[in-house]
Amino acid sequence: MNAQPPLLSVRNLTVRPGRTLPPVVRDLSFDIAPGEMLALVGESGSGKTMAARSVLRLLPAPLMPVEGSSIRLKGSELLTLSDHEMCKVRGARIGMVFQEPMVSLNPAMQIGKQMAEALRLHHRLSDAEIRDRSLAMLERIRIKDPAKCLAAWPHEFSGGMRQRIMLASVMLLKPELLIADEPTTALDTLVQRDVLDLMVELTQEQGTGVLLISHDLGMVAKYAPSVVVMQSGIAVEQGRSAKVLTAPAHPYTKSLIDALPRRAEGGSRDTTARPALIEVQGVVIDYPGRERFLRRDPPKRAVHGVDLTIGSGETLALVGASGSGKTTIGRAIVGLVRPSAGAIRYQGHDLLQAGPETARLRARMQIVFQDPYSSLDPRQRIEKVVAEPLLLDKAMTAADRRDRVRAVFEEVGLPWALADRLPHQLSGGQRQRVAIARAIVRNPAFVVADEPVSALDMTVQKQILRLIRALQDKHGFACLFVSHDLGAVEQVADRVAVMENGLIVEMGTRDEIFDTPQHDYTRRLLDAAMLIDRSFGAVMA
Amino acid sequence: MSVLGLKMPALRLNGLLGALILGSVVLIAIFGPLLVSGDPMALDFAARLKGPMSGHPLGGDEFGRDVMLRLIHGARTSIWIAFFTTCFAVAGGLAIGILAGFLRGWVDRVLMMFNDALLAFPGLLLALGFMAVFGASRQGIIIALGLAYMPVVVRVVRGTVLSLREREFVEASRVMGNSELTTMFRHILPNCLAPVTVLATTMFGWVILAESALSFLGLGVPPPEPSWGNMLSTARPYAGQAPHLIFLPGLCISVTLLGVNMFGDAVRDWLDPKMQG
């Protein structure tokens, strides 16, 4: 086994923009054996994507591998190939799957044509042969009615299906190496597992080596036998995943693993009953159908009759796949969507009745959105962002407001020096802190946190989760934590409600749901969640 | 931060140059007639269709009127018309577009029905129709061209508003308890300004050209009062004998447009918060 030369051998890879600027990848070396999967792990900006792109020689303009770097595919050097020769390697010998299945397929091209495109480029095959091979591959990835699929357009498929089709069209060329750049980040937990299982299946069958790029340690633990941990362009630690992830030697790896949400972090939970703050009863929510010529499509039902109660000071987590209606419920409670039936009450007051009392209570309920990039007005300086809710309190003077904003900045851990920055001048984590500050500035009694950490890096996720917890302990507001990330939920929730297709299928305390799930769907979600301690169960405990 | 405190030196240079050109044109338009004495309507048959000569540095037109004086006075008319027409079209377009995009429902439908009907006519044809109503005067031109170009602004603004409405910061403003009106003025209007500015600078150019087209049809600024547009159109029959009569007002229009566009680009970047470091 050891005598066999590695499939891909990267030596001393250093990538830098120009001569003077610091490298984005420094002295990176690793090997991938045929059929093996190696993961490059790191946070955004760690250089993992640039390292992978160097293998394909698809680096953005000023970036260049410096002299002394070497990338060999089956012993032949790739960095010295001419552009023309490199074109023959791309696709045919090295395939790539991108992160966004929504944009990596051409929306104006039928699936069959896209699959045929690369085959035609690299192999001399007749149309009939191309069709046969495509059909066989679609059948292989268990697509119903492959012939129909060839004539279909990308928008007819869900994200997960598109990613499978993408994978199929790449694997159709039988590449020796597959580069998968965050291939499932945009997908739901259950779909994520399907796609990865399929990828492993196909690559093992064909003996393809895989270079997986990911920020998800849980995924790496489950799928990749070896791992390279990168920080600011440097491989700080590499080796077998089981060893690196269970007994990390480098402090950075340790901090990444510490950042994984875990139950112990949340502490034990007080499960005594609390007075109900928010009551949701039999809520049905429809989205109006698309407007057609002279008529409307029938409305689409997103939530089919949901009951839940959130006690004061309690965190209820709402989990489920995208499209399950979990976000819609959160939005309905704060008044962004109007239910078509049912009742939403705040301490017994019906929030669906308009009136001054409802308006007053609405101010006690706030929301933190998922995407800190779009939830802040790009033209508002962040001091203004946080102060804005206070403008509604006519009793406050400008000086009062400034004092309050300063205090909240401190509470959420934002340096006051950032006060006159614009949102785009902040990092994702800082932006989310601003959004949280805006939500709590008027001391709400209830906050909806709609996937508040899923757009953030791992270590930042941990900080934000901790911050939410700390603020909750201090101010005692109740929280509806909407998330698809079971890891985060396990850490923050008191109680968990699981949603599927607009219905709550199971609800219970955190420990009940995670330890003794009753409903089949809950079990499947838990199985698919790549929680690292489940992959290496015994070792981590 | 200076007004043109842009990040990239190339852009800053463009913006400065644009501001310089536009600034000098505006200054000439305002103060030129005061500084250079002489009557742009005065006839001097000795200078008829002549090139540069003593007493007439840029020559004379078909009636022997001084071309330089006419260009300076014409600048006043052209800039005046372009400026007010653009302001009128943008103000009206912003109001209607925001109303339609933010209120949606039947308001949107009715407004857009009218707007689309207006858009279906070529701008100039529409302006001709309005001119028939308002008469051939400066005010008439401003109203007619303003109304003719307004539907384009409405479209752009409404589209921007529709996409902004779905953004989470607009929803956050609602959850905060802000009224729709506050949300509209505080969060939606300022974010519409960047695309509208770009449109406005382009429109400034269109209007100068449209005014010359109207003059060509005899509906623009009534002669003998000079505008760059009517100078250009009355010079056409003499293109062979006196090309400078076409060339000079044409050059004025082109240079002004260049300045306006460069300045507009810089303003757009300056308004874009992402360009501020």
Side-chain angles (χ1 to χ4, degrees):
Chain A
M1 186 76 189
N2 279 341
Q4 194 184 2
L7 170 69
L8 180 77
S9 160
V10 173
R11 287 289 169 274
N12 308 325
L13 176 66
T14 301
V15 178
R16 58 166 57 192
R19 277 163 194 277
T20 47
L21 293 165
V24 294
V25 176
R26 190 182 307 186
D27 261 336
L28 180 69
S29 303
F30 61 83
D31 288 328
I32 299 179
E36 193 204 40
M37 187 188 293
L38 175 126
L40 281 181
V41 180
E43 295 188 291
S44 48
S46 62
K48 56 189 194 302
T49 295
M50 290 309 144
R53 284 183 164 248
S54 330
V55 175
L56 276 171
R57 298 218 347 232
L58 286 176
L59 287 168
L63 291 176
M64 287 274 286
V66 303
E67 239 166 273
S69 307
S70 151
I71 298 175
R72 287 169 184 273
L73 184 67
K74 287 215 168 139
S76 60
E77 181 61 52
L78 294 183
L79 291 179
T80 53
L81 289 184
S82 70
D83 285 348
H84 182 71
E85 287 167 322
M86 197 59 212
C87 282
K88 289 185 188 151
V89 174
R90 288 187 204 126
R93 298 183 62 196
I94 307 180
M96 176 140 187
V97 179
F98 296 90
Q99 174 171 4
E100 280 290 340
M102 297 293 166
V103 294
S104 53
L105 286 169
N106 180 345
M109 216 172 170
Q110 286 160 315
I111 300 290
K113 288 227 172 87
Q114 305 203 30
M115 292 182 75
E117 199 183 6
L119 265 184
R120 195 160 286 144
L121 196 64
H122 293 286
H123 300 279
R124 277 175 202 285
L125 291 174
S126 70
D127 285 358
E129 256 175 305
I130 287 179
R131 193 180 155 80
D132 285 348
R133 283 205 196 182
S134 306
L135 282 176
M137 181 50 94
L138 288 176
E139 213 158 306
R140 174 72 195 72
I141 63 167
R142 296 181 292 275
I143 296 247
K144 281 174 232 148
D145 200 352
K148 205 172 135 203
C149 171
L150 283 185
W153 302 92
H155 70 260
E156 296 173 44
F157 296 94
S158 67
M161 281 310 245
R162 279 189 235 192
Q163 200 63 313
R164 301 171 74 139
I165 291 168
M166 190 74 213
L167 191 62
S169 54
V170 171
M171 292 307 289
L172 200 52
L173 290 156
K174 302 201 187 323
E176 293 153 39
L177 177 71
L178 177 70
I179 298 178
D181 188 355
E182 305 264 13
T184 59
T185 308
L187 305 175
D188 265 332
T189 322
L190 287 174
V191 185
Q192 208 171 38
R193 193 178 64 164
D194 283 353
V195 170
L196 287 170
D197 284 350
L198 185 69
M199 188 169 97
V200 170
E201 228 176 278
L202 289 177
T203 50
Q204 303 236 312
E205 233 171 64
Q206 302 186 0
T208 305
V210 182
L211 176 58
L212 175 73
I213 296 152
S214 178
H215 68 275
D216 183 344
L217 288 181
M219 183 201 289
V220 172
K222 186 158 175 179
Y223 289 95
S226 32
V227 65
V228 177
V229 182
M230 292 186 69
Q231 181 192 20
S232 340
I234 300 169
V236 293
E237 191 164 0
Q238 59 193 99
R240 311 302 299 170
S241 309
K243 185 163 166 289
V244 172
L245 299 183
T246 49
H250 191 275
Y252 180 70
T253 320
K254 273 191 196 133
S255 77
L256 283 185
I257 290 171
D258 277 345
L260 288 171
R262 50 175 63 92
R263 203 185 302 187
E265 188 83 35
S268 64
R269 285 294 199 240
D270 174 14
T271 49
T272 50
R274 309 171 200 228
L277 182 74
I278 306 276
E279 286 165 283
V280 174
Q281 247 173 27
V283 162
V284 176
I285 300 168
D286 298 311
Y287 281 114
R290 215 167 117 187
E291 227 172 287
R292 306 269 178 188
F293 185 63
L294 292 182
R295 68 183 174 85
R296 241 173 209 284
D297 284 353
K300 231 181 119 190
R301 185 149 290 188
V303 175
H304 304 251
V306 157
D307 299 304
L308 45 89
T309 312
I310 302 159
S312 42
E314 172 187 61
T315 301
L316 174 71
L318 205 50
V319 299
S322 60
S324 63
K326 56 187 196 304
T327 294
T328 309
I329 290 183
R331 292 163 59 87
I333 297 178
V334 294
L336 285 172
V337 190
R338 207 179 157 75
S340 22
I344 299 175
R345 290 196 199 85
Y346 178 99
Q347 288 179 333
H349 177 88
D350 186 358
L351 286 174
L352 299 180
Q353 260 173 349
E357 180 63 4
T358 303
R360 195 183 66 79
L361 292 177
R362 285 247 176 265
R364 309 273 296 139
M365 302 157 56
Q366 289 302 321
I367 185 165
V368 176
F369 292 98
Q370 167 175 11
D371 184 359
Y373 295 80
S374 92
S375 68
L376 305 177
D377 187 336
R379 317 190 71 87
Q380 258 184 337
R381 312 230 163 238
I382 64 170
E383 184 190 349
K384 283 231 169 104
V385 172
V386 178
E388 198 185 342
L390 299 176
L391 293 174
L392 293 160
D393 188 345
K394 302 291 177 227
M396 281 186 113
T397 64
D400 291 345
R401 280 199 294 271
R402 208 176 163 84
D403 290 345
R404 176 69 189 133
V405 171
R406 263 193 115 114
V408 174
F409 261 63
E410 195 160 311
E411 271 185 55
V412 300
L414 277 174
W416 184 245
L418 299 178
D420 64 344
R421 297 276 182 97
L422 288 165
H424 73 93
Q425 295 166 319
L426 304 181
S427 70
Q430 286 171 331
R431 269 183 253 204
Q432 201 58 301
R433 282 174 200 267
V434 175
I436 292 171
R438 174 176 63 187
I440 65 160
V441 72
R442 293 188 74 189
N443 290 318
F446 174 64
V447 173
V448 174
D450 186 3
E451 306 258 13
V453 295
S454 50
L456 305 174
D457 263 333
M458 285 170 287
T459 45
V460 182
Q461 282 193 11
K462 178 189 173 110
Q463 293 161 6
I464 296 291
L465 287 178
R466 274 198 183 150
L467 173 67
I468 293 177
R469 187 72 235 166
L471 290 170
Q472 228 180 330
D473 287 344
K474 189 166 166 203
H475 299 289
F477 55 82
C479 177
L480 179 70
F481 189 89
V482 179
S483 179
H484 70 272
D485 179 356
L486 288 173
V489 166
E490 193 174 10
Q491 176 170 334
V492 302
D494 293 311
R495 287 191 304 136
V496 180
V498 183
M499 274 194 92
E500 185 189 14
N501 298 328
L503 280 170
I504 291 188
V505 296
E506 188 171 359
M507 183 148 39
T509 64
R510 177 195 60 183
D511 295 357
E512 281 167 11
I513 296 285
F514 279 86
D515 297 337
T516 52
Q518 300 300 312
H519 196 274
D520 178 52
Y521 183 72
T522 315
R523 274 190 224 124
R524 273 168 52 216
L525 270 185
L526 281 172
D527 281 345
M530 286 168 259
L531 301 174
I532 197 165
D533 35 356
R534 279 170 205 267
S535 300
F536 300 132
V539 197
M540 293 296 280
Chain B
M1 189 184 315
S2 73
V3 174
L4 292 162
L6 301 174
K7 218 177 162 188
M8 280 177 275
L11 276 177
R12 197 185 291 143
L13 188 68
N14 268 359
L16 267 178
L17 211 62
L20 210 67
I21 295 176
L22 194 62
S24 25
V25 173
V26 169
L27 283 181
I28 290 174
I30 298 174
F31 299 110
L34 307 176
L35 295 177
V36 185
S37 59
D39 181 2
M41 322 281 187
L43 310 181
D44 174 3
F45 282 97
R48 190 170 176 269
L49 298 179
K50 291 273 164 48
M53 55 192 282
S54 76
H56 301 291
L58 294 179
D61 71 358
E62 72 275 18
F63 294 117
R65 296 174 295 199
D66 185 81
V67 171
M68 192 181 77
L69 279 175
R70 287 182 71 76
L71 282 177
I72 290 173
H73 284 259
R76 186 175 255 195
T77 321
S78 293
I79 298 292
W80 173 280
I81 289 177
F83 180 76
F84 283 101
T85 305
T86 309
C87 287
F88 178 47
V90 165
L94 264 177
I96 299 175
I98 290 187
L99 221 58
F102 201 69
L103 294 180
R104 304 293 301 275
W106 66 268
V107 180
D108 183 27
R109 258 180 237 200
V110 171
L111 286 176
M112 282 301 118
M113 216 149 69
F114 273 109
N115 199 62
D116 289 348
L118 290 183
L119 265 179
F121 288 97
L124 206 59
L125 200 63
L126 207 58
L128 278 179
F130 288 129
M131 290 295 294
V133 180
F134 299 113
S137 63
R138 278 192 192 185
Q139 289 77 2
I141 295 173
I142 290 172
I143 297 176
L145 285 176
L147 286 176
Y149 286 127
M150 203 179 288
V152 186
V153 187
V154 172
R155 267 278 157 212
V156 170
V157 172
R158 178 176 171 272
T160 316
V161 173
L162 284 186
S163 79
L164 285 172
R165 285 174 53 98
E166 305 301 322
R167 297 274 293 274
E168 285 171 342
F169 67 83
V170 172
E171 298 198 317
S173 162
R174 252 179 232 146
V175 175
M176 217 177 273
N178 282 331
S179 68
E180 299 287 276
L181 214 62
T182 312
T183 306
M184 199 151 98
F185 280 107
R186 197 177 289 158
H187 296 289
I188 293 198
L189 180 67
N191 281 294
C192 285
L193 289 182
V196 169
T197 316
V198 178
L199 190 63
T201 54
T202 328
M203 196 179 286
F204 197 88
W206 296 344
V207 173
I208 293 184
L209 291 178
E211 186 270 321
S212 70
L214 285 178
S215 300
F216 185 77
L217 295 169
L219 285 165
V221 179
E225 197 188 339
S227 82
W228 290 347
N230 70 13
M231 288 175 71
L232 196 64
S233 52
T234 52
R236 205 183 61 111
Y238 312 100
Q241 296 156 272
H244 69 284
L245 291 185
I246 283 194
F247 177 73
L248 290 172
L251 187 72
C252 288
I253 294 177
S254 314
V255 170
T256 310
L257 290 193
L258 181 72
V260 168
N261 282 336
M262 280 158 66
F263 183 66
D265 277 350
V267 171
R268 196 240 351 251
D269 293 340
W270 176 59
L271 282 175
D272 182 355
K274 294 206 173 67
M275 294 294 289
Q276 295 175 26

